[in-house]
Amino acid sequence: MTETLSQLGADARPAASPEEAVLETVPYARREGPPAIVRFTCPEFTSLCPVTGQPDFAHLVIDYAPDERLVESKSLKLFLTSFRNHGAFHEDCTVMVGRRVVEATRPLWLRIGGYWYPRGGIPIDVFWQTGAPPEGAFLPDQGVPPYRGRG
């Protein structure tokens, strides 16, 4: 199952850009009944402001209901790290992450919350999802409170 993976168990470095990063997947055998919800949390996501070049920081929460493919977590980590030198607005970064996971896995459903730390004194929270959540799935709150000095 893992013989096709190029990053897991290997010395792998983040790509120079998110566009170059490879999101790898592994097969998943979904069972009968409500789908599982898989959560990835990245409390130290970074990218660059496209105007000033200054770093921006976010707490990302990705929830998805896999169908036939799972995201391989090391490749996800390397993909997310590839944003460190990528200049884009908060909205673009958040949605790009969600769309790339959808492209790689073709899940039943996905949502992403990007909880960005303040820039110019204003925190920006960005949310995106593929549609209505699957019936019967357990969807916990993303657990990130409104900004009051997040941490």
Side-chain angles (χ1 to χ4, degrees):
M1 172 173 14
T2 61
E3 55 275 353
T4 61
L5 300 175
S6 65
Q7 299 172 85
L8 185 63
D11 182 21
R13 307 253 183 244
S17 72
E19 294 82 12
E20 295 175 28
V22 175
L23 267 178
E24 296 185 324
T25 64
V26 295
Y28 176 67
R30 196 165 78 80
R31 308 276 189 236
E32 293 296 319
I37 300 297
V38 177
R39 172 169 289 170
F40 290 107
T41 304
C42 181
E44 297 177 350
F45 181 84
T46 59
S47 65
L48 298 176
C49 172
V51 177
T52 66
Q54 296 295 310
D56 287 323
F57 303 90
H59 182 144
L60 297 184
V61 180
I62 303 164
D63 294 320
Y64 77 108
D67 189 12
E68 296 178 2
R69 308 294 301 173
L70 297 171
V71 173
E72 191 284 306
S73 61
K74 181 177 181 181
S75 75
L76 178 67
K77 184 184 339 178
L78 291 168
F79 168 62
L80 295 176
T81 303
S82 74
F83 280 84
R84 287 188 177 166
N85 293 314
H86 179 72
F89 291 111
H90 301 336
E91 297 83 354
D92 294 330
C93 289
T94 305
V95 174
M96 178 187 246
V97 170
R99 287 187 187 277
R100 283 290 301 278
V101 173
V102 167
E103 179 184 303
T105 64
R106 303 285 182 223
L108 300 172
W109 174 81
L110 178 138
R111 75 174 172 189
I112 183 170
Y115 302 87
W116 292 83
Y117 290 82
R119 181 198 292 167
I122 299 174
I124 298 173
D125 296 340
V126 180
F127 307 97
W128 183 80
Q129 69 181 29
T130 58
E135 188 173 329
F138 172 66
L139 299 175
D141 181 79
Q142 290 198 325
V144 182
Y147 186 79
R148 288 199 178 125
R150 280 188 193 118

